[in-house]
C-alpha cells in the first residue's frame, strides 16, 4: 500500500570513475612522474566505481570468512572459506597490479602509480588490501636472497590469482606472522623456536597471536633460532605438495577489516627457510615493515577519500531548510575541511611513494625513513575522526549498513594499530632521529625548500626546529614524542601543499592547521575559499 511519495532522495553513487573524480590524486600522480599510468588508473577507477564491484565489497564484508579446521572425515585442513565476492575483489586487485606492479615495471613513478592503484581498491573494499600490502612489502626482502628469489619472485610478480591451495599455481600472496601473546609489538619477547634441519631449513614450534590473511601461500615469520631472533619463509605447501604444519586455532572477531581473516596459529614442527642471517630477523624485515607502514597510511587515506566522496555526493543531492545541503555554509565548511585532510594526505603520500622507486637517491631513502613513520602516525590518527564526521553528513543513513560509511567508521581505527600503534610509531621517530641523523637532515631539507612561500609556514618551521632541538636534548624525551611527530607531520604536509597544491588549498590548510591545534572538522577560520576547496571533494 502506498502512503506517500518518495522525494528528496540521494541517487546511488555508482558507475563512477573513482580516479577521474579524485582531483587531488590525479594531480599527485602527475607531479610524481606517474602520468604515464593515467589510462590504467582511469580503468581501475571505473572498475572499483562500478555497481558490481561495490556490491562485491558489501558482500565480502557482510559474509565474513569462516575457519574450517577439519574436513568431514576428521582430517586437519586448516582452511578459511571466503565469500566468492572476496575472491572477485582480490582477483581484480591482483590483475591490476595493486600488489607488486612497482617491482614488475620499476620505471620512475612506478611506486606512485602502484600507490594510486592500491588506494583506489582500498577505497571501496579495505579488507583485501592487507594481503596486497604484505605481498608488496615481501618483495624487497625475498629479492635480496637469490635462492628464494628464483623460486618465489615470478609468483610474487604474477597478476594471476588462484584462491586454491595447489602446487604449481603461477601466482602467490604473502602474509606475515610476527606478534605473540606475551610480546605484541615487542617481537624480541617472542618464544616460537626454530630448530635447524640443515640446508637452511628449520622446524618451527610455537604460536602467533596475529596471523593476517592465513590463506596466503607463504608467510614471513619471526622465531628464535640458536643465534637469536631470525626471519623465516614458511610456505603453506611443502615441496612434495603436502600441507605444512600450520594449525589455525580461531579467527579474530574484529571491530573492522571484516572481509579479511586474521587468525591465531600454532606451529607443530612447521618447516621454514631462513631468510638472512640468524639473529638478524628484525633487520631482515625492516624494509618490509617500512613499506607496510606506508600502505597503512595509504589505506587510511583511501578511507578518508571514500568518506569525503560519499559525504560530498550526499550533500550535493539532498535539500533541507529550503536549500541544498552543500550550499549551506556550515556544511560547506565541513566538506571543505574533510577535503583539506585528503588533499594533504594525498600530496604527501604520493611524494613518499616516489621516494621508494628504484632510482631513489641516498637522501631520498633517508627522507622516507623518517617521513614514513611521521605520516603513518599522523594520517592514521586523523582517519577515525574524519570517518565520524563524514558519516554524520549522511545523518541517520550514515550509521546503517546500507551505506558504506558505517563500515568505514569501523575500519579506520584498524590502520592506526596495524604496523605499529601510535606510541610505537612515535618512539620509532625518536629512534630514527637519534640513530640515523641523516634522516632528519633529509627531512629538514625537504621542508626547508619552500621556506619564504608563507610567513606562517616559516614561523611553524622554526617552532618545529626548536622542538626537535628541545626533544633531542631531553634525557627522557618519550613524553614529548607525540607532540613532536604532530609538528613534523604538519610541517611536511604544509610544505608539500605549498609546493604543489592550488593556492586555496594550501592557504586553507595553513590557516586551519598551523595556527592552532587541528581540532574538530568544520571549524575553519573566516576568509577561506571554502566553496573552491569543497568543489574538489
Amino acid at each position: 500500500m502506498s502512503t506517500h511519495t518518495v522525494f528528496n532522495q540521494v541517487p546511488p553513487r555508482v558507475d563512477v570513475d573513482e580516479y577521474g573524480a579524485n582531483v587531488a590524486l590525479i594531480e599527485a600522480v602527475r607531479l610524481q612522474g606517474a602520468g604515464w599510468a593515467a589510462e590504467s588508473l582511469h580503468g581501475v577507477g571505473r572498475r572499483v566505481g562500478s555497481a558490481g564491484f561495490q556490491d562485491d565489497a558489501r558482500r565480502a564484508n557482510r559474509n565474513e570468512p569462516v575457519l574450517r579446521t577439519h574436513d568431514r572425515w576428521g582430517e586437519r585442513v586448516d582452511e578459511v572459506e571466503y565469500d566468492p565476492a572476496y575472491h572477485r575483489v582480490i582477483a581484480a586487485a591482483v590483475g591490476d597490479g595493486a600488489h607488486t606492479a612497482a617491482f614488475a615495471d620499476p620505471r620512475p613513478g612506478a611506486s606512485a602509480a602502484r600507490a594510486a592503484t592500491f588506494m583506489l581498491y582500498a577505497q571501496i573494499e579495505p579488507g583485501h588490501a592487507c594481503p596486497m600490502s604484505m605481498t608488496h612489502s615481501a618483495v624487497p626482502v625475498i629479492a635480496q636472497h637469490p635462492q628464494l628469489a628464483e623460486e618465489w619472485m615470478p609468483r610474487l610478480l604474477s597478476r594471476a590469482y588462484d584462491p586454491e591451495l595447489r602446487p604449481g599455481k603461477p601466482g602467490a600472496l604473502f602474509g606475515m606472522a610476527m606478534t605473540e601473546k606475551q610480546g605484541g609489538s615487542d617481537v624480541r619477547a617472542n618464544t616460537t623456536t626454530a630448530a635447524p634441519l640443515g640446508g637452511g631449513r628449520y622446524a618451527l614450534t610455537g604460536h602467533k597471536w596475529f596471523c593476517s590473511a592465513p590463506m596466503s601461500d607463504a608467510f614471513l615469520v619471526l622465531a628464535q633460532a640458536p643465534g637469536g631472533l631470525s626471519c623465516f619463509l614458511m610456505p603453506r605447501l611443502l615441496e612434495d605438495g603436502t600441507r605444512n604444519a600450520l594449525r589455525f586455532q580461531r579467527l579474530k572477531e574484529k571491530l573492522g577489516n571484516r572481509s579479511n581473516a586474521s587468525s591465531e596459529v600454532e606451529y607443530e614442527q612447521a618447516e621454514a627457510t631462513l631468510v638472512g642471517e640468524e639473529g638478524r630477523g628484525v633487520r631482515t624485515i625492516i624494509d618490509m615493515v617500512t613499506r607496510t607502514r606506508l600502505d597503512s597510511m595509504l589505506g587510511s587515506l583511501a578511507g578518508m577519500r571514500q568518506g569525503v566522496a560519499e559525504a560530498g555526493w550526499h550533500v550535493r543531492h539532498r535539500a533541507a531548510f529550503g536549500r541544498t545541503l552543500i550550499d549551506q555554509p556550515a556544511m560547506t565548511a565541513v566538506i571543505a575541511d574533510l577535503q583539506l585532510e585528503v588533499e594533504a594526505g594525498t600530496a604527501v603520500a604520493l611524494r613518499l611513494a616516489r621516494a621508494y622507486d628504484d632510482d631513489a637517491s641516498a637522501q631520498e631513502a633517508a627522507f622516507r625513513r623518517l617521513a614514513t613513520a611521521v605520516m603513518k602516525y599522523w594520517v592514521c590518527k586523523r582517519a577515525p575522526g574524519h570517518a565520524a564526521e563524514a558519516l554524520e553528513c549522511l545523518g541517520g543513513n550514515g550509521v546503517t549498513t546500507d551505506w558504506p560509511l558505517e563500515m568505514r567508521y569501523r575500519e579506520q581505527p584498524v590502520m592506526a594499530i596495524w604496523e605499529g600503534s601510535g606510541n610505537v610509531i612515535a618512539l620509532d621517530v625518536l629512534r630514527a632521529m637519534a640513530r640515523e641523523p641523516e634522516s632528519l637532515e633529509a627531512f629538514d631539507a625537504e621542508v626547508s625548500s619552500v621556506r619564504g612561500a608563507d610567513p606562517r609556514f616559516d614561523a611553524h618551521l622554526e617552532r618545529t626546529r626548536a622542538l626537535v632541538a628541545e626533544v633531542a636534548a631531553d634525557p627522557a624525551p618519550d613524553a614529548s614524542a607525540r607532540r613532536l611527530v604532530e609538528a613534523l607531520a604538519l610541517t611536511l604536509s604544509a610544505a608539500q601543499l605549498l609546493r604543489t597544491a592550488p593556492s586555496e588549498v594550501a592557504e586553507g590548510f595553513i590557516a586551519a592547521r598551523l595556527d592552532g591545534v587541528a581540532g574538530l572538522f568544520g571549524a575553519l577560520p573566516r576568509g577561506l575559499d571554502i566553496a573552491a576547496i569543497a568543489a574538489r571533494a
Side-chain angles (χ1 to χ4, degrees), residues 23-112:
V23 179
L25 184 59
I26 290 174
E27 292 173 354
V29 165
R30 176 177 52 81
L31 287 165
Q32 299 309 326
W36 48 265
E39 183 178 353
S40 172
L41 290 170
H42 278 292
V44 173
R46 289 188 292 271
R47 185 169 297 112
V48 302
S50 68
F53 190 90
Q54 292 184 29
D55 184 61
D56 277 344
R58 283 191 294 271
R59 289 174 181 272
N61 281 274
R62 289 183 180 181
N63 304 323
E64 297 179 24
V66 176
L67 174 63
R68 278 203 314 128
T69 57
H70 296 77
D71 65 17
R72 58 182 173 173
W73 295 281
E75 298 290 339
R76 289 221 53 137
V77 291
D78 296 285
E79 290 185 351
V80 177
E81 294 180 348
Y82 296 86
D83 189 271
Y86 179 83
H87 292 303
R88 290 193 292 269
V89 167
I90 207 166
V94 169
D96 281 324
H99 59 334
T100 58
F103 301 109
D105 183 13
R107 63 174 119 170
S111 294

Side-chain angles (χ1 to χ4, degrees), residues 185 373-382 384 413 416-417 420-431 433 460 464 467-468 470-471 474 476-491 517-518:
S185 297
V374 165
M375 295 309 298
K376 192 278 181 188
Y377 172 92
W378 180 248
V379 172
C380 293
K381 284 294 184 188
R382 295 289 287 170
I417 296 172
S421 56
N423 284 346
V424 171
I425 299 296
L427 294 176
D428 186 52
V429 169
L430 296 185
R431 189 179 305 110
M433 291 169 52
H460 178 81
T464 302
L467 181 57
V468 168
E470 175 189 322
V471 172
D474 189 341
D478 293 12
S480 302
R482 286 187 175 223
R483 186 161 61 99
L484 173 61
V485 176
E486 177 178 326
L488 292 170
L490 290 172
T491 304
V517 177

Side-chain angles (χ1 to χ4, degrees), residues 58 69 77 100 121 198 243 293 332 409 412 438 455 471 525 528:
R58 283 191 294 271
T69 57
V77 291
T100 58
Y121 272 99
R243 296 176 184 235
R293 285 179 176 174
T332 311
Y409 181 74
Q412 291 295 53
E438 67 277 8
V471 172
L528 299 180

